[in-house]
């Protein structure tokens, strides 16, 4: 009897070990990169969503460091005719050294510089994460996307609690030529998660879906000698990236014009979508499964 009890004790003591081992093995396995462009296209939508709303509110991009927008500068009263602002944060930074374009607030250079630096910082951290723990592992991608979710949620909370003004031109203080300095508290979180998106796209091998800027996408489409080919997956992904980013911008504009909408709603929506993407890696197909299927 004692022998039987002693033989069964290790089995009872280690009852939960196989389950933990399976969970660990599942989380550390590599995902099937072949289909990983799907969440990246949704990230393009998020970039359009957040960048359109942040530029409309704060006159600064979070992900797209280049772009073209028709928008009046933040002055009061506004000019008779709007300016054509054909620039990104890098050009904003350069023009601000000469107080251009006319009527721009004096902190545009600071917001642009903070956004650029934060995007680089987010890229640096994500690159180190992927280098240390392998970018294609399920757990690595989940951690990365949950961190990006947290960053967006922090910015959303700052705006929601009015710690950062949603409409700086209407905020009472402290002003600097029409722009509240507190907006720079939220910029690092949003720009850093944009940098993480870029590194994720590159690490997964989808340079044609950069998730932030579309300049290279448009030029690569024009240079593609097989652009009219029946089966051209890179072309399809490039077109998908452009369409998704456009749809994100349109969605942000629609939300911003609705009663009860605005930047805070856009940011909470963005955090929710990013969170779902993080959860999505839990059920994403593993490497080696279905690899014989057509791309």
């Amino acid at each position: 009897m004692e022998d039987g009890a002693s033989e069964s004790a290790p089995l009872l003591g280690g009852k939960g070990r196989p389950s933990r081992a399976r969970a660990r093995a599942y989380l550390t396995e590599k995902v099937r990169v072949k289909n990983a462009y799907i969440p990246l296209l949704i990230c393009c939508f998020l970039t359009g969503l957040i960048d359109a709303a942040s530029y409309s509110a704060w006159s600064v991009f979070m992900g797209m460091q280049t772009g073209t927008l028709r928008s009046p500068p933040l002055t009061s009263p506004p000019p008779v005719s709007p300016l054509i602002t054909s620039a990104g944060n890098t050009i904003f930074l350069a023009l601000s050294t000469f107080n251009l374009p006319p009527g721009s607030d004096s902190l545009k250079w600071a917001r642009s510089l903070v956004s650029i630096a934060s995007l680089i910082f987010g890229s640096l951290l994500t690159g180190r994460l992927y280098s240390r723990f392998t970018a294609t592992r399920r757990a690595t991608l989940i951690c990365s996307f949950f961190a990006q979710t947290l960053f967006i949620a922090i910015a959303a909370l700052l705006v929601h609690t009015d710690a950062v003004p949603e409409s700086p031109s209407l905020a009472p203080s402290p002003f600097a030529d029409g722009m509240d300095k507190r907006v720079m508290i939220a910029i690092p979180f949003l720009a850093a998660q944009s940098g993480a998106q870029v590194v994720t796209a590159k690490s997964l091998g989808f340079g044609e879906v950069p998730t932030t800027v579309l300049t290279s996408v448009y030029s690569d489409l024009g240079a593609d000698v097989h652009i009219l080919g029946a089966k051209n997956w890179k072309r399809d992904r490039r077109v998908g990236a452009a369409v998704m980013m456009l749809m994100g911008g349109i969605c942000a504009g629609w939300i911003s014009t609705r009663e009860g909408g605005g930047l805070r709603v856009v940011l909470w929506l963005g955090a929710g979508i990013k969170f779902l993407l993080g959860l999505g890696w839990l059920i994403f197909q593993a490497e080696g499964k279905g690899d014989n299927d057509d791309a």
Side-chain angles (χ1 to χ4, degrees), residues 112-172:
S112 300
L113 183 60
V114 168
S115 180
I116 294 169
S118 300
L119 186 140
I120 293 173
F121 183 70
S123 301
L124 177 68
L125 289 182
T126 308
R128 296 297 182 272
L129 172 69
Y130 290 164
S131 177
R132 175 67 178 82
F133 297 103
T134 307
T136 56
R137 282 184 178 175
R138 195 183 303 278
T140 306
L141 289 166
I142 291 172
C143 289
S144 175
F145 274 70
F146 280 177
Q148 294 171 46
T149 300
L150 178 62
F151 278 19
I152 301 174
I154 290 173
L157 184 62
L158 288 170
V159 174
H160 193 90
T161 58
D162 293 323
V164 172
E166 183 170 352
S167 300
S169 59
L170 302 178

